[in-house]
Amino acid sequence: ADLKELLAKRSQGLKPTATTVRKRDGTVTIERAAVAGLSEAEQRERMEASQRASKAAEKVEIKPYSEGILYGYQGEEGNWKPWEGDRETMAADPGDGLRVMTFNIWFSPHEWEKRADMLLDLLFAGDAYDVVMLQEVTKRFLGRLTADSRVRQRYVVTDTSGGTFIGGYGNMMLIRRELPRPAIWFVKFPGRMGRRGLVATFENVALATVHLESLNSTRLRLEQLNRLCEVLDQPVAVIAGDFNVAGTGPYASAAEDTAVDAVRSQYGFDDVCAELGLTYDTRESANTMVRAADDQPIDYARYDRVWVRGGLAADRQLVGADGADG
């Protein structure tokens, strides 16, 4: 028999398949192979069976969050270990006047040591920050951070090895040792980049940092914000980080900016740092390092935002704007 006949016979002997696939964001889809040699009734029966399997899979519970761990440096042993803190004050409220920093460190290898050291100097300049929220943290930066004696003495951290990072970088928090020990958890986001919200919760206070979906992903960013806001039920809450939403510059979208602001209003947050202006600016008069390193087009936007609910944000300032040579 010639090749065409053999292939035809083989295709008639094959049964069609329909595979139920659960994606990272929990959605279920059916991937169906081409069908040959079956009647319409047989094809319909197989498809209905696959759809029943899909519905059954949708009933499987997927937790919308996962627990995290806090690590403290044990000086006498010389290493980082899971930190218990004072169990009598565990998850109690941290008191009034929290000093919080949020900073996207930029995952590029360009001059990363110099930039890391400048950020560390910022952390310990003046009054101490109670909570530090960082985005785009890489393993190399994390190693430099956790090796710093000042960090070891002052803070407990949400990662020491990059184990919570997805895609080579991620978010982390530094929390002052003297504060009550909060619960740490990650909110799972829909999307293709493995983004998650990192949350520290006290009794009545929640602090969350985000790096929302990048590129042309308006719908996903809105879904991610909504998912995070839905689970923050503490009366006092802060969401800070890289929202990846531009109201100015070449990637500006007035429609998305308006939609994000509607989410903020819906959940009772105030956009407390809007008056500080742009947080990303690669024009000649501002930060030229990004453009020089990555050959990116000129861009200027307020990608980084701070939302606060139930509290007063006082003494707000833009830090890290002085720049570095290179």
Side-chain angles (χ1 to χ4, degrees), residues 114-286:
K114 180 187 293 185
R115 294 187 290 108
D117 290 342
M118 291 185 71
L119 176 56
L120 284 166
D121 289 341
L122 276 176
L123 292 184
F124 297 98
D127 296 335
Y129 290 100
D130 296 301
V131 179
V132 179
M133 306 177 178
L134 302 176
Q135 305 89 43
E136 293 195 25
V137 180
T138 61
K139 289 185 178 181
R140 59 177 173 263
F141 175 85
L142 181 59
R144 204 172 188 90
L145 182 78
T146 55
D148 191 283
S149 60
R150 298 166 295 179
V151 172
R152 292 177 172 183
Q153 292 171 9
R154 180 175 293 177
Y155 293 109
V156 292
V157 301
T158 56
D159 200 331
T160 61
S161 65
T164 66
F165 300 169
I166 298 176
Y169 58 89
N171 301 336
M172 71 174 296
M173 287 191 195
L174 289 68
I175 299 172
R176 191 163 54 84
R177 281 175 174 266
E178 291 78 11
L179 293 180
R181 176 188 167 196
I184 302 297
W185 45 291
F186 294 89
V187 179
K188 296 181 179 179
F189 285 163
R192 302 175 296 274
M193 298 179 175
R195 303 288 166 86
R196 302 187 292 176
L198 171 58
V199 184
T201 54
F202 301 90
E203 184 177 0
N204 293 297
V205 178
L207 304 167
T209 187
V210 296
H211 183 193
L212 300 182
E213 202 83 357
S214 303
L215 306 176
N216 186 22
S217 305
T218 295
R219 179 184 58 81
L220 284 173
R221 284 189 286 270
L222 291 171
E223 290 180 6
Q224 291 169 352
L225 276 174
N226 270 292
R227 182 163 296 185
L228 178 61
C229 291
E230 286 171 356
V231 299
L232 296 182
D233 54 7
Q234 288 76 6
V236 178
V238 176
I239 301 175
D242 185 349
F243 283 41
N244 265 319
V245 177
T248 59
Y251 306 110
S253 170
E256 181 177 9
D257 212 30
T258 299
V260 167
D261 203 52
V263 174
R264 176 195 61 74
S265 179
Q266 175 185 349
Y267 292 97
F269 286 92
D270 293 319
D271 188 358
V272 299
C273 292
E275 75 278 5
L276 297 181
L278 305 179
T279 63
Y280 185 87
D281 191 345
T282 64
R283 291 175 293 187
E284 293 295 339
S285 59

